[in-house]
Amino acid sequence: MTASDPAIGAVILAAGLGSRFGATPKMLAPYGDRPMVRRAVEAALASRADSVVAVLGAHRQAVRDALAGLDLTLVENPDPAAGLSASLRLGLAALPPRTRAAVVLLGDMPQIEAAHIDALIAAYKAAAPRPSAVVPVSGGLRGNPVLLDLARLGTDLAALSGDRGAGPILKRRGDVLEVPADPAVIFDVDTPEALGG
């Protein structure tokens, strides 16, 4: 890869407890004809991302089974109750060393397609200078997935703790590129009722 064509990975965060969802593992809940987590991974695999990593935690074996046959790297968060930040760090660390940026997807956002990921990648590659992140915006709200420049954000990402992703870091930076997107980027599933969305 060259500086003008950097390697970009994708990380799917699927380790959470999903406690608000109820007894059924949220990542395995069907959305259309597939479990939510499989939809997220398949979107990443169909995108222009150069590598794909999924972070498992709660219900790890069942989630692993739901992803059987897909060409990706699986890593496990041994303490999913520790929060999102640990899963994010584990996922980023599992990307190939040459990776310059990563698109971070949430496993409970089943309307995300490869086109959403590709739009972030295209915006990042076209920007000069390169932004620290590319964030989709729908209805005035920042959504997910987000693309993170690992060189620019590495120190801040390493310092994250608790149940937080990159959002607090990006709020205080002036070099975040926002791109318009459809409502899929702000639709996530926290309860069984939301699956009707």
Side-chain angles (χ1 to χ4, degrees):
M1 294 289 167
T2 66
S4 60
D5 188 25
I8 298 178
V11 174
I12 297 95
L13 302 180
L17 300 172
S19 54
R20 286 180 287 173
F21 193 78
T24 302
K26 178 169 70 169
M27 293 297 161
L28 302 178
Y31 191 88
D33 60 347
R34 285 164 289 165
M36 275 196 295
V37 68
R38 190 172 179 101
R39 289 183 67 92
V41 169
E42 287 178 345
L45 289 170
S47 76
R48 293 180 181 150
D50 298 295
S51 55
V52 178
V53 171
V55 184
L56 315 183
H59 317 289
R60 63 191 59 145
Q61 188 56 53
V63 173
R64 185 182 290 273
D65 292 345
L67 300 177
L70 299 180
D71 183 19
L72 77 159
T73 299
L74 299 175
V75 295
E76 293 188 2
N77 180 349
D79 185 15
L84 189 66
S85 60
S87 292
L88 179 58
R89 285 195 305 275
L90 286 165
L92 295 176
L95 291 168
R98 62 189 177 86
T99 304
R100 170 66 185 269
V103 179
V104 180
L105 299 90
L106 305 179
D108 63 354
M109 296 186 69
Q111 294 181 354
I112 297 301
E113 304 288 349
H116 295 101
I117 301 165
D118 288 345
L120 300 177
I121 293 173
Y124 176 75
K125 288 185 174 183
R130 291 258 160 77
S132 65
V134 184
V135 179
V137 176
S138 179
L141 300 173
R142 284 184 171 184
N144 285 288
V146 299
L147 182 148
L148 306 175
D149 183 294
L150 302 182
R152 287 182 168 84
L153 297 174
T155 302
D156 287 336
L157 291 170
L160 277 176
S161 62
D163 197 27
R164 298 180 302 162
I169 296 170
L170 303 185
K171 281 183 183 177
R172 60 180 184 259
R173 293 191 67 109
D175 58 348
V176 174
L177 176 61
E178 295 184 339
V179 295
D182 62 52
V185 303
I186 55 174
F187 173 76
D188 65 351
V189 174
D190 285 326
T191 65
E193 292 72 27
L195 285 171

